Structure formats: structure tokens, C-alpha cells
Amino acid sequence: MAKLIWREPIATTRITGRQPVGEEPETRTEAKAKAPRRVITLGDIAGRESGGLVVLLVAVGALTLASDEFLTGNNLSNLARQVAIFGIIAVGQLLVILTAGIDLSVGSVLGLSGASTAQFLVAGVPIWPSLLLGVGIGTALGIANGLLVTQAKLPPFIATLGMLGIARGIVLVSTDAQTVQGLPESFQTIANGTIIGIPNLLIIAALVTAVMWFVLTRTVFGRYIYAVGSNPESARLAGVPVRLVMISVYAISGLLAGLGGVLLTSRLGAGIPTAGTGFELNAIAACVIGGASLFGAKGSALGAATGALIMGVLNNGGNLLAINAFYLQIAIGVLILVAVGFDQLNTRRSAANG
């Protein structure tokens, strides 16, 4: 496979100075005895996702004890369908966050892609062309975001905030703010069907997460993303095509938002022009709870998916236990603050230790 696509871990060797004349070299046993013992923690095994995994395990355990319905097949199936779309959008948002950017338009892009797909289907366009057109609209808007950031030099917050309003306005105008109904049954099966008992949405979300994990950990493009998020100028001097990388991550974010819109339309069986409202904040929250840093270069696809799952479990558990939804919002807000606080604490400790 081409070296520009695949990268293997590089083995490194520690170079030490020569032993001073007249001194006996330490034996390996003595060196080990002098070295301080370090306890292996969950963070060493799972990385930055360890905190999110702990929160997820605690939430699942608590809900299992509090509700007999949580671990039932029907509830887990509904939970998987609810989390899958959030997870797909969160993974796309993660790529932008890794470059120290932000995409506030994913919710509106989702709504426009989903409603447009429904309109194509009602107009008689076959299912697969309609799907591709819906995803293509999301990708095009993502590329537009990338161009606004790289070429027009607009801050990511402003560029994507403007696109949020544009995309939402287009979908409301094109549908006259009316729900698009009458979609084919075969189209609705895409999101509501199962394969050997596993919901299709969960399979799609797992595939998206796996692909993004591979891209970030095993390709040069993934290394470029982290380099741009760490220091764009240093990355440029090192030969990284910074502008192309930035445009690409926004395009992927738009593509996955478009895919989420198509899947949500399939799940609901209708194109809803207001769909996706507030999803951008949920996607950002999922990334942060999953260990991503808003300052860039820190985070993983698994962490973003874990964050989305935590939010889904909290909302699902709140419904089962009849907890006021407003309290759940407070809990998610606290989680965000705690996650960012731990990130800042770890950053300060790393800087202090050199």
C-alpha cells in the first residue's frame, strides 16, 4: 500500500551517553530497583477515552439497578437507533475540533439534506440517487464552510454560524416549512430494519466510527489533522497542505451530517424541515465528554462515539425513570464542565512535568 496512505508505528531507540571511565556500569537488576514503580491506570490502557468509559459504565450500572426495562431488547434497540445518528454527526464534528475549529452548521445541514432527500423521493427519483444527492448536499455545504475558513479567512465560529442560518433558511423556504410525507416503505427500512437482530443504524454508525478510527490512526491524512490542530504554522513549514486538510475535514463533517439527515428521514418516514435543531451542540458536547479538546489535536473517534453513547444513555434512562428532562440538561452541562476541567488540569500537569 502506498506510503502516503498507510503508516506503521515507528520503533524508537533511546540513546544514552557512555559510561564514565572508572565507574562500573549498573546491572540491569540494579537499574530496575532504582527506577520508581509506576502504577498502570485505565488512562494508560484506554487513553483520553478512559474518563468517558468510566462515566458510561457507571451510568449503565446505575440504570440497570434502577430500572428493569433498561436492559430489555426493545429498549436497547431504541437506544441504539437514537444514539447512532448523534454518533455519526459527533465523529464528523470531531475531525473539525481536532484542527482547533468548530462546525455549528451540522444540525441545519442535517435538516436540509434530510428534507431534500424526501423531496427527491416524492418527486419520483429512485432511492439510491436520492440518497447520494442528499449526502452530496451536505458535502457541498461542508466544502463551502472549509473555503470560508481557509480562503475568506473567517473564524470557524462565524463561518459555520452563518451557514447554520443559510441552510436552515433554505430548507424552510424549499419545503414551505411543511413536513414532506409519502416516502417509500423500502426507504424507511434502511434505518428501521435489522440484520441478525442488530439495528441497521447501529451497524452504520459502527462502520463510520471504525473508518474514522482507521483514518486518524493509520493514515498520513490523520497525522496531518493532528499536526494542523497542534500548530498550523509548524505543520505548513513541515510540508503539510494545511488548507487542503482544513477543507477536507469540513467536507467530511458536512458529508456525515448529510448522511445523518438521510438516515433520520428514513427513521421518521418523513422529511421534517426543523429536524436537527440543536444537534450541533449535542455533537460538540459528545466530543468534549469523550475526551476531545476544543484547542485541537486531542481526541479520537472512539471517544466521540463514547460521548454520544453517554448522552443517549442519560436521556434514555431519564425517560425510563420519568426524570424531568431539564435535570438531564443540567447533568450533561455538568459533564461538559468536568470534562473540560480535567483536560485543562492534565494539560497543566503535562506542562509542569516538561
Side-chain angles (χ1 to χ4, degrees):
M1 188 177 293
K3 291 184 178 180
L4 289 178
I5 299 177
W6 177 269
R7 66 180 180 93
E8 294 286 355
I10 301 174
T12 58
T13 303
R14 184 179 180 183
I15 301 175
T16 59
R18 294 185 177 181
Q19 187 74 19
V21 179
E23 294 184 12
E24 293 295 329
E26 290 183 333
T27 64
R28 188 171 301 178
T29 304
E30 292 174 346
K32 287 184 178 179
K34 291 183 178 181
R37 293 184 179 181
R38 184 173 181 275
V39 179
I40 298 177
T41 64
L42 181 61
D44 298 320
I45 300 174
R48 295 177 61 86
E49 301 85 10
S50 58
L53 290 174
V54 170
V55 173
L56 178 61
L57 291 175
V58 171
V60 170
L63 289 174
T64 301
L65 296 175
S67 174
D68 296 333
E69 298 179 3
F70 179 73
L71 289 182
T72 60
N74 289 335
N75 184 63
L76 293 179
S77 179
N78 291 331
L79 175 62
R81 291 187 173 94
Q82 293 169 3
V83 171
I85 295 175
F86 283 125
I88 292 172
I89 300 173
V91 170
Q93 182 75 246
L94 172 73
L95 298 185
V96 177
I97 290 177
L98 287 176
T99 62
I102 197 167
D103 189 353
L104 297 177
S105 67
V106 290
S108 296
V109 170
L110 178 146
L112 177 58
S113 297
S116 298
T117 301
Q119 288 177 310
F120 292 140
L121 291 169
V122 171
V125 180
I127 292 178
W128 285 108
S130 297
L131 291 175
L132 293 176
L133 287 171
V135 174
I137 289 173
T139 306
L141 294 178
I143 293 174
N145 282 332
L147 291 174
L148 289 172
V149 172
T150 58
Q151 303 299 323
K153 305 297 183 182
L154 294 178
F157 184 92
I158 299 300
T160 58
L161 180 62
M163 187 60 70
L164 179 153
I166 293 171
R168 186 64 66 186
I170 291 175
V171 67
L172 291 173
V173 170
S174 62
T175 61
D176 196 24
Q178 300 295 319
T179 300
V180 182
Q181 298 178 336
L183 306 186
E185 290 291 336
S186 55
F187 173 72
Q188 299 181 44
T189 304
I190 295 175
N192 295 310
T194 61
I195 297 178
I196 60 172
I198 303 175
N200 292 345
L201 277 179
L202 180 60
I203 295 174
I204 295 172
L207 288 174
V208 169
T209 303
V211 169
M212 288 300 105
W213 172 86
F214 178 85
V215 168
L216 291 174
T217 61
R218 290 293 183 267
T219 68
V220 173
F221 177 66
R223 183 168 58 186
Y224 283 172
I225 292 175
Y226 285 103
V228 171
S230 179
N231 192 319
E233 183 60 21
S234 297
R236 184 187 66 81
L237 295 175
V240 176
V242 176
R243 290 186 178 182
L244 181 59
V245 171
M246 294 285 287
I247 294 173
S248 298
V249 297
Y250 282 98
I252 295 173
S253 178
L255 183 151
L256 294 181
L259 176 61
V262 171
L263 294 175
L264 182 60
T265 299
S266 173
R267 180 169 178 256
L268 299 177
I272 302 176
T274 57
T277 302
F279 278 27
E280 58 279 345
L281 299 180
N282 290 332
I284 296 170
C287 293
V288 172
I289 292 172
S293 171
L294 293 178
F295 298 101
K298 295 179 181 178
S300 69
L302 178 60
T306 301
L309 187 56
I310 290 172
M311 296 178 64
V313 168
L314 290 178
N315 288 323
N316 179 263
N319 292 332
L320 292 177
L321 300 177
I323 298 175
N324 192 323
F326 300 143
Y327 291 116
L328 295 177
Q329 292 183 7
I330 295 174
I332 292 174
V334 170
L335 278 177
I336 294 172
L337 294 177
V338 171
V340 174
F342 272 117
D343 179 66
Q344 293 294 302
L345 180 61
N346 290 333
T347 300
R348 288 194 293 269
R349 284 181 176 176
S350 298
N353 295 331

